[in-house]
Amino acid sequence: MVSPPPAAGPEPRRPAKLEVYREADYAADYDQRWHGRSGEKRDARKAQSLLRSLDLAEQCSGTSFHSIVDLPCGTGRFSDLLMKRVEHYIGLDLSTQMLDHARKKFVCARYLAADVAQLPFADQAVDVTVCIRFLHLVRCPKLRVKFLREMARISRSAVIVDYRHSRTLRVWGKKIRNRLGMLKLAPANPSLAAIHAELQEAGLTVSSRVSVHRAPLLSDKILLVCLPQR
Ligand SMILES: C[S@@+](CC[C@H](N)C(=O)[O-])C[C@H]1O[C@@H](n2cnc3c(N)ncnc32)[C@H](O)[C@@H]1O
């Protein structure tokens, strides 16, 4: 299933926010955010919406999934959940520090150090790719499209992506505070229309939207089930 990566092309500059995960201390503390009552609640909500998205993706594509690439997998937040769902699980991340923690927690899992921009897989090598808690860190739409194209290329049936969008009370509140001069930076979440457009540009069509929060207007988190255009 693993093949050499394609030749690298020019790409927009990557945000520093993506680099912090290569720091040993940052990687060691990463799982702390899912500890405590509210952390556990947030984690469980995301896990539930991920399982629901996988069910919908199977229904839409009319196939059962046997292989998943979880990218970036970080410290293996969803490795256990996804390994229980399919026979072939691969977790992929650029940070060997994050992967070290994942390997210690899940000795049976298969992990790869690689870049989402150049995935070391052949075209349509896996049934589905899932991408959680990554794209909102990539502020540049061009770079997001580059990453999404790679996901579309390697996925036979579906791509499930986690986005932060702008149609929520939280983002509207931030926009108002920014206009009143009370908040320096305007929120950068794209609109749902812009998200659909960039997924189309990457060769993906949205088939379902799954809200992570029970009250969608209170949260900007959404999972999108996308089908590759062939
Ligand atoms: C916020 S974490 C998300 C990890 C996991 N999906 C989760 O929900 O906890 C973002 C991850 O993206 C990884 N990353 C950043 N740039 C990457 C790239 N170009 N290719 C692969 N992984 C990358 C980081 O190392 C980090 O582990």
Side-chain angles (χ1 to χ4, degrees), residues 14 21 30 72 74 77 93-95 98 114-116 132-133:
R14 295 182 185 212
Y21 300 93
Y30 184 76
R77 180 180 173 199
D93 203 285
L94 195 56
S95 159
M98 294 290 271
D115 190 336
V116 179
I132 306 295
R133 213 162 178 269

Side-chain angles (χ1 to χ4, degrees), residues 4 15 137 143-144:
L137 301 172
L143 188 54
R144 282 201 297 265

Side-chain angles (χ1 to χ4, degrees), residues 11 14 17-22 30-31 33-34 46 70-78 92-96 98-99 114-117 119 130-134 136-138 147 162:
E11 80 172 37
R14 295 182 185 212
K17 193 95 177 93
L18 286 182
E19 295 299 319
V20 292
Y21 300 93
R22 300 206 213 196
Y30 184 76
D31 287 350
R33 66 198 69 215
W34 319 121
K46 191 59 89 58
D70 171 17
L71 54 85
C73 63
T75 56
R77 180 180 173 199
F78 295 117
L92 177 149
D93 203 285
L94 195 56
S95 159
T96 51
M98 294 290 271
L99 287 176
D115 190 336
V116 179
L119 292 170
V130 304
C131 177
I132 306 295
R133 213 162 178 269
F134 177 62
H136 69 289
L137 301 172
V138 184
F147 289 145
D162 178 15

Side-chain angles (χ1 to χ4, degrees), residues 65-81:
F65 298 153
H66 302 284
S67 53
I68 285 185
V69 175
D70 171 17
L71 54 85
C73 63
T75 56
R77 180 180 173 199
F78 295 117
S79 296
D80 193 37
L81 183 93

